[in-house]
Each structure stands twice: as C-alpha cells, then as structure tokens.
Amino acid sequence: MRSLLQLLFLLFCVQRGYGHALPSLLDHVVGGADTASPDQQEPAPRPRRSSSDAAPASASASPCGLRSVQLQVRDLGLGYDADETVLFKYCGGACERVRSNHDLTRAHLLLGGVLPRPGPSGVGGPCCRPTHHEDLAFLDNAHRWHKVEKLLAAGCSCVG
C-alpha cells in the first residue's frame, strides 16, 4: 500500500510539473524501501542527492536577479511622448522550487481527497519578483518633467 501511495505521489508530481525533483524523490523512495541494511545504504544516497540537486539548478538557467535594458520612455507603454533613453530595471531568472513540509503534506492530502483540488490558477512555481522599487524621472518632448513612482525594480527575490 505504501509503494502504491509513493507511486501516485510521483505521478502527481510529474502531472503538476515537478518532474525536476524526481531524481531526489526516486533516491528517497528507493533508499527508504530497502530496509535490509539501512546503516550501509542510507549514508551514501544523502551526499549524492544533495550534489546532484545543486548541479542541474545552476547549469539549467540563470538565477533570479536584477536585470536592465536601455530603451526610450515611449517604449514603456505609459503614454508619454518622450525620446529620452532610460535604464529600465526588472527582475528575471529562474527560481528553484523547494518543497517544504507543508507542500509535501498538502500534496498527500490532495491525493487522498481530504482537500479539494485547486483550480488552474492555484498551480505554479515560484516567481522572480521585485522586493522593492525605485521611481523614474524623465523629461518629455515638451520639456516637462515627469516622475513615475515605483516603476523600476530595485531588488529581486523568489516569491511563492
């Protein structure tokens, strides 16, 4: 029965897009299922699992961080007639999904039918989002100053 639940949990992970975590989950399932000699087999998978999890995350995509691009104010889509070039700062990059005890328990309860299934908007991974913002001041083509509050990202972090 336990193996069936573990299989269902793995299938749930694949269906929800958590496939990148399967190698560590499979190591955990295989290591946990073999109880003949736990002293000999348990220490070996732990270091291997942590090193294999760290390598793909750094090699697959750039991490969440502050990015910038130079463009004209008119290209910001705010309706200003200005040819001035500004440095637009934004957040971008990948955020690694870290499964907490809450996430694991919630997935188990969802599989067991104890909790109702979330709608399509309830599914998703963490996002690289601004933690705080900066204002932008510029001179338009009619020589008037404008200040747009909280337009530029000033710091980034993974949220969600």
Side-chain angles (χ1 to χ4, degrees), residues 20 53-58 60 63-64 93-99 125-127 158 160:
H20 64 277
D53 285 346
S58 62
S60 64
C64 175
C95 290
E96 185 178 333
R97 175 177 286 279
V98 179
R99 305 282 291 174
C127 301
C158 292

Side-chain angles (χ1 to χ4, degrees), residues 18-151:
Y18 307 136
H20 64 277
L22 283 181
S24 64
L25 287 173
L26 288 174
D27 284 346
H28 179 69
V29 170
V30 171
D34 187 9
T35 58
S37 57
D39 294 335
Q40 295 173 353
Q41 292 181 356
E42 198 167 322
R46 285 184 182 166
R48 186 178 65 224
R49 204 176 331 148
S50 63
S51 65
S52 66
D53 285 346
S58 62
S60 64
S62 60
C64 175
L66 194 60
R67 312 268 198 284
S68 61
V69 62
Q70 279 190 341
L71 42 85
Q72 290 185 337
V73 172
R74 73 173 69 252
D75 296 331
L76 295 174
L78 300 174
Y80 293 105
D81 183 30
D83 295 327
E84 186 172 345
T85 300
V86 296
L87 188 66
F88 180 72
K89 295 187 241 177
Y90 64 98
C91 295
C95 290
E96 185 178 333
R97 175 177 286 279
V98 179
R99 305 282 291 174
S100 67
N101 288 333
H102 173 82
D103 295 328
L104 295 172
T105 302
R106 185 172 180 268
H108 173 75
L109 295 174
L110 282 169
L111 284 173
V114 175
L115 297 177
R117 292 208 175 263
S121 63
V123 177
C127 301
C128 185
R129 301 286 300 162
T131 55
H132 52 287
H133 298 84
E134 294 176 348
D135 300 340
L136 174 71
F138 62 91
L139 190 64
D140 69 7
N141 290 346
H143 304 289
R144 289 181 296 223
W145 282 99
H146 297 276
K147 179 180 176 183
V148 181
E149 295 180 356
K150 297 184 178 182
L151 179 67

